Structures are given as C-alpha cells and as structure tokens.
C-alpha cells in the first residue's frame, strides 16, 4: 500500500486498546495513515503505545486518542470528524453474570448505530465493522458444509446472549446503511477464534485456552470444534475491506481454513513447544463430564451447546475478492504460544 497517498488520510479505530484494534493500528501506521483511536479512558494511551512498540512501531504524533464509550453520545461526533475511514472494532465485553440478555444486546446494537451515525454525519467514506463468527454459525441444525457469508445466526432460545448481541448489532448496521446511511459504505469482517502474537495483557478469549494449556491448568480438552485465524491476518483483512472497491456492501469471514478440535490444538502445542510439553494434556473430556460440571459452573454451561458440533467455515470469498492470504491455523497457534512465553505471561 502506497504510504505517500495515505499520509493525509485519518482513520478512526474504535476500542483502540483491544487485541484486534492494536494490530489494526499497527498496520495502518505501517501503511502511512494517520490514526485516531477511541478508548474508554485516556489513561490507557500509554498502554496502547507500549503494545505498538512491542509490535515494532513508534507511533509519535501520527496517533491520537479520544475518550468515547459505546454507551454514551459524548465525543463520537468529534471522533469521526475529518476521518476518511472508520474501523469499528470496539465491542461490549461478554458478561458472565447478567440478569437479562438485553444487558449485552442493547449496548452492542446502540454502539454500532452511534458510530455509523457519527460516521455518516462526518462524511466518512467507509466503515469496516468487526462483527463475529457468532453472527454466522449459531442456531443451525448440524451441517458438514462450511459456513459462508450467506449464513446468518438463527436467533433462538439456545443462542447465547453474546452471539445474539453480535448478530443483532450487525443486522442493525446493515439496516441503517440501507435506510439512512446516505453515501456511507459498510463492510463487515466476521472473525473466528482469534489467535496470534499478543502485544500486552489485552487479548482475545480464544487465547486464554492456549494460556491455560501452557500453564498446566487444564486437565483435558472439551469436544469443541472451532476455526481459528491469526490476528495479523484479521487486521490485514480489515485494511483490505477498508480500501478495496469490491468490499463495499460485503461481509467477510476471517478464518485460516479447516476447523479443528481442541484436542488437535493441544497436540500442535505439545509437539512444538518443548519446554511446556509435559503440562499439556492431549485427552478429550467426555461430554457427560462437561454437562455435569456445567450444572455448577456458568462458564462451562455457556459452552455446552457447542459440544460435538462441527463449526467449519470458508474463507473463499475474502481470498477470491480481496486477494487475502492468511497464515495457517498451526502458525497462528504457535505464534500465540511464542508471544505468551516471550512476554513472560506464561510462568
């Protein structure tokens, strides 16, 4: 990407301290863009700059910060002002304890609409929304064919609140663009489980499983199937979705390829990360044991609907339309482990 033509263009990245967002900021700065990042508190600026340094970039005055929250109108107009593009990566954190699912659904949906309104009013060219695979794969009957961008989560009683919130927020975004978006363009990226190099202590929940395996805190792997993707490739797909004319009005699944079972993930680690190999279990926990544990543990209960379900996904559209070329699942897993060990997060 040509640096000189980008140097006068400002890109707003929402939720700037998050795992995917920091990698997006890294790649935007490397491509020559100016970046403005929203954070809930300006106290996080030094932390974000430290993570960027860990990624090899001294941002200087090419990066600025503004305090804005998805749940309030304050500063969104100022945040979008003067921006050519917006990467809306911010998302309400999944709550483990909630009285009603609306506690997750309403902030997610309202937050997306706040950002889209501010972007439209500021004359932004295109917003790239970070949705999730949870807006694609839930609520379906078991299937062997890979899920594609044509699939949408079927909202029902068994769909967990977080996945429901991502689905309804993305639906609201497409509705907004269709009815009141004006000239604003929208592209959506739906990442699967995001792995890859951590730059600090803020990272995706997919990485906690690898962390716990390396720390010897897991006695066996639930029978859960998932696709994975490296965070560097997720950021790369965001930039392609932002810049490529073919990406306007499209959604893209960010996945490295074939889904794998958790026990296969554990085997990749055990075979390649010698110093922690003896801690890593490569046995599967029977579903019945998980169901009994789920009676007492709400975190385990939340994953019970996924037991034994194949969740294969296709990256064919992003590869064909945008020339995207992601790293393999194995590379993403090992890059995660390497960074957790290097940053001494694994003791």
């Amino acid at each position: 990407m040509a640096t000189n033509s980008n140097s006068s263009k400002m890109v707003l990245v929402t939720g700037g301290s998050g795992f995917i967002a920091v990698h997006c900021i890294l790649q935007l700065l490397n491509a020559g863009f100016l970046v403005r990042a929203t954070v809930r508190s300006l106290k996080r600026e030094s932390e974000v700059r430290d993570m960027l340094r860990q990624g090899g970039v001294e941002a200087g005055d090419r990066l600025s910060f503004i305090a804005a929250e998805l749940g309030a109108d304050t500063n969104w107009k100022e945040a979008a002002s003067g921006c050519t593009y917006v990467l809306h990566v911010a998302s309400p954190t999944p709550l483990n304890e909630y009285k009603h699912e609306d506690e997750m659904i309403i902030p997610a949906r309202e937050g997306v609409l706040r950002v889209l309104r501010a972007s439209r009013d500021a004359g932004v060219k295109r917003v790239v929304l970070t949705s999730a695979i949870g807006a694609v794969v839930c609520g379906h009957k078991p299937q062997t064919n890979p899920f594609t961008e044509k699939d949408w989560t079927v909202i029902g009683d068994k769909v967990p609140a977080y996945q429901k919130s991502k689905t309804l927020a993305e639906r609201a975004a497409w509705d907004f663009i269709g009815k009141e978006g004006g000239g604003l363009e929208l592209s959506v990226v739906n990442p699967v489980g995001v792995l890859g190099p951590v730059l600090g202590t803020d990272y995706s929940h997919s990485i906690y499983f690898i962390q716990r395996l390396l720390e010897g805190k897991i006695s066996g792997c639930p029978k859960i199937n998932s696709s994975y993707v490296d965070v560097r490739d997720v950021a790369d797909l965001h930039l392609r979705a932002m810049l490529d004319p073919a990406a306007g009005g499209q959604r893209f699944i960010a996945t490295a390829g074939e889904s794998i079972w958790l026990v296969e993930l554990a085997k990749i680690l055990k075979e390649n990360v010698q110093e922690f190999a003896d801690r890593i279990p490569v046995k599967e926990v029977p579903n019945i044991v998980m169901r009994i544990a789920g009676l007492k543990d709400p975190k385990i209960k939340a994953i019970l609907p996924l037991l034994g379900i194949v969740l294969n996904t296709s990256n064919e559209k992003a590869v064909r339309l945008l020339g995207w070329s992601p790293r393999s699942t194995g590379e993403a897993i090992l890059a995660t482990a390497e960074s957790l060990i290097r940053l001494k997060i694994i003791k």
Side-chain angles (χ1 to χ4, degrees):
M1 290 172 210
T3 333
N4 50 6
S5 64
N6 298 339
S7 59
S8 61
K9 289 177 184 160
M10 176 75 76
V11 182
L12 177 68
V13 179
T14 69
S17 60
F19 182 49
I20 294 174
V22 171
H23 276 276
C24 286
I25 293 169
L26 261 181
Q27 293 193 22
L28 287 164
L29 292 169
N30 280 333
F33 289 97
L34 299 167
V35 178
R36 183 182 295 147
T38 71
V39 282
R40 283 198 291 264
S41 162
L42 291 176
K43 291 176 184 163
R44 299 203 74 176
E45 174 172 346
S46 58
E47 184 189 336
V48 175
R49 290 186 182 275
D50 285 346
M51 288 191 275
L52 293 169
R53 275 185 210 107
Q54 190 69 43
V57 168
E58 188 60 65
D61 61 3
R62 292 186 301 133
L63 172 64
S64 57
F65 291 83
I66 188 165
E69 293 193 40
L70 292 177
D73 289 331
T74 317
N75 281 350
W76 284 110
K77 182 182 174 184
E78 293 77 3
S81 174
C83 293
T84 309
Y85 303 105
V86 172
L87 302 186
H88 179 35
V89 193
S91 176
T93 316
L95 304 169
N96 288 324
E97 301 293 327
Y98 56 89
K99 291 193 175 70
H100 194 277
E101 59 186 18
D102 281 351
E103 289 173 47
M104 264 194 266
I105 292 167
I106 291 169
R109 188 172 54 210
E110 295 306 311
V112 165
L113 294 174
R114 266 191 184 92
V115 173
L116 288 175
R117 270 189 216 106
S119 301
R120 176 199 62 195
D121 295 348
V124 167
K125 182 176 181 188
R126 182 179 291 176
V127 172
V128 180
L129 167 65
T130 315
S131 183
I133 201 61
V136 176
V137 300
C138 300
H140 298 273
K141 292 190 174 78
Q143 63 178 62
T144 48
N145 291 337
F147 287 94
T148 73
E149 291 80 0
K150 289 181 181 141
D151 294 305
W152 278 89
T153 281
V154 181
I155 300 285
D157 297 341
K158 291 194 174 165
V159 173
Y162 178 67
Q163 282 75 6
K164 209 178 271 192
S165 76
K166 296 303 275 188
T167 308
L168 293 170
E170 189 190 334
R171 288 272 195 202
W174 287 117
D175 285 348
F176 175 89
I177 290 295
K179 290 174 185 163
E180 46 188 311
L184 181 64
E185 296 175 358
L186 178 67
S187 298
V188 173
V189 175
N190 300 77
V192 293
V194 182
L195 304 177
V198 307
L199 302 171
T201 52
D202 199 325
Y203 40 83
S204 74
H205 52 267
S206 305
I207 284 175
Y208 283 110
F209 184 73
I210 290 180
Q211 181 183 340
R212 288 171 68 80
L213 276 173
L214 292 170
E215 289 172 344
K217 289 182 179 166
I218 286 178
S219 55
C221 301
K223 191 172 174 58
I224 285 179
N225 183 273
S226 186
S227 300
Y228 297 97
V229 64
D230 191 296
V231 66
R232 292 166 291 184
D233 297 319
V234 176
D236 176 53
L237 186 52
H238 276 74
L239 266 67
R240 288 170 189 267
M242 177 179 101
L243 294 169
D244 197 315
Q250 302 290 334
R251 66 201 299 238
F252 299 95
I253 294 175
T255 178
E258 285 284 313
S259 61
I260 61 171
W261 297 96
L262 287 182
V263 73
E264 294 174 81
L265 184 155
K267 282 176 183 163
I268 290 170
L269 286 172
K270 195 174 185 76
E271 285 163 15
N272 291 280
V273 186
Q274 297 304 321
E275 68 249 62
F276 297 109
D278 57 342
R279 297 180 178 182
I280 300 166
V282 288
K283 61 176 193 270
E284 215 156 51
V285 180
N287 290 350
I288 184 71
V289 174
M290 291 296 294
R291 291 200 171 94
I292 292 165
L295 296 173
K296 289 185 179 170
D297 188 332
K299 282 186 183 170
I300 293 176
K301 186 184 177 186
I303 62 171
L304 293 180
L306 299 171
L307 292 177
I309 305 286
V310 175
L311 288 179
N312 209 357
T313 51
S314 169
N315 62 19
E316 184 274 335
K317 183 176 174 182
V319 171
R320 171 175 47 84
L321 267 190
L322 305 183
W324 188 56
S325 179
R327 293 163 179 81
S328 70
T329 300
E331 282 177 85
I333 292 167
L334 296 177
T336 308
E338 187 277 327
S339 64
L340 288 170
I341 294 163
R342 181 166 39 81
L343 293 183
K344 300 186 167 53
I345 292 167
I346 306 294
K347 302 289 191 285

